[in-house]
């Protein structure tokens, strides 16, 4: 049963909902989400967990439910393995259609603003990296980025 998808993606989303949603995560919420994430990881694990009186409380909290969750995960992967594969062409068509259907839901200005804040925070490192790369120098990407930064900051 593959475990890298849930451990690399879903656990990160569970523990860090602020990566996906515009929310503040309090320390209490963080502690609760850590328990949920640990339960999810234990449910997706292929190894058997031996629990005792010295086991962490977050593992003991849902210990009796883990076997049931493990069977759900196993069934999930078993069902996926039985599904027919789709072609790259079908996948591309599906993604194009989804992009068309949801294109108006994306706030481009907000995304550009977030990119600007990120670029501004790491401006020197990014500009240095653009100077070092031959392709970037050939296409004058440093100059183009500096122009974009100046436009966003209101300087000329």
């Amino acid at each position: 049963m593959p475990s890298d998808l849930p451990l690399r993606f879903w656990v990160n989303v569970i523990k860090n909902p602020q990566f996906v949603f515009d929310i503040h995560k309090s320390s209490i919420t963080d502690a609760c989400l850590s328990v949920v994430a640990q339960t999810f990881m234990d449910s997706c694990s292929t190894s058997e967990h031996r629990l005792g009186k010295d086991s962490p409380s977050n593992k003991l909290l849902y210990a009796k439910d883990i076997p049931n969750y493990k069977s759900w995960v196993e069934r999930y992967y078993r069902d996926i393995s039985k599904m027919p594969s789709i072609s790259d062409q079908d996948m591309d068509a599906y993604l194009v259609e989804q992009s068309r259907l949801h294109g108006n839901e994306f706030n481009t200005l907000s995304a550009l603003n977030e990119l600007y804040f990120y670029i501004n925070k790491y401006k020197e490192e990014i500009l240095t990296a653009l100077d070092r790369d031959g392709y970037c120098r050939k296409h004058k990407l440093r100059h183009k980025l500096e122009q974009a930064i100046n436009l966003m900051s209101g300087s000329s």
Side-chain angles (χ1 to χ4, degrees):
M1 165 176 56
S3 62
D4 45 338
L5 175 66
L7 296 181
R8 290 186 185 169
F9 179 77
W10 290 113
V11 169
N12 202 17
V13 171
I14 291 168
K15 285 185 62 69
N16 302 292
Q18 72 277 13
F19 290 173
V20 179
F21 305 106
D22 187 17
I23 62 168
H24 169 72
K25 182 177 68 170
S26 69
S27 58
I28 293 170
T29 303
D30 185 48
C32 293
L33 291 174
S34 291
V35 171
V36 172
Q38 183 63 55
T39 302
F40 188 73
M41 287 188 293
D42 291 346
S43 300
C44 294
S45 174
T46 56
S47 62
E48 201 56 43
H49 296 278
R50 301 281 181 230
L51 299 174
K53 62 179 181 167
D54 296 329
S55 297
S57 59
N58 63 335
K59 285 193 174 235
L60 294 172
L61 193 58
Y62 291 102
K64 66 180 182 351
D65 300 314
I66 296 295
N68 190 34
Y69 298 157
K70 278 184 179 267
S71 70
W72 292 355
V73 171
E74 289 167 1
R75 186 176 66 232
Y76 171 77
Y77 282 110
R78 190 174 50 250
D79 290 349
I80 286 178
S81 70
K82 293 177 183 175
M83 294 174 75
S85 298
I86 63 168
S87 69
D88 288 347
Q89 218 173 9
D90 289 343
M91 184 65 169
D92 288 345
Y94 174 78
L95 292 175
V96 166
E97 179 63 10
Q98 290 304 307
S99 180
R100 186 189 65 74
L101 289 172
H102 302 286
N104 61 342
E105 297 171 14
F106 184 69
N107 188 333
T108 306
L109 292 178
S110 178
L112 286 172
N113 201 40
E114 289 298 318
L115 283 171
Y116 170 73
F117 285 129
Y118 179 84
I119 288 169
N120 212 32
K121 183 176 180 180
Y122 298 102
K123 180 167 66 174
E124 291 309 314
E125 295 93 328
I126 294 170
L127 292 174
T128 300
L130 291 173
D131 280 339
R132 290 182 180 156
D133 185 272
Y135 177 87
C136 296
R137 282 194 312 270
K138 179 181 175 187
H139 294 280
K140 299 179 172 118
L141 295 185
R142 178 191 173 112
H143 177 69
K144 291 176 182 177
L145 180 60
E146 287 175 324
Q147 286 179 316
I149 292 169
N150 288 338
L151 277 171
M152 290 292 292
S153 67
S155 19
S156 45

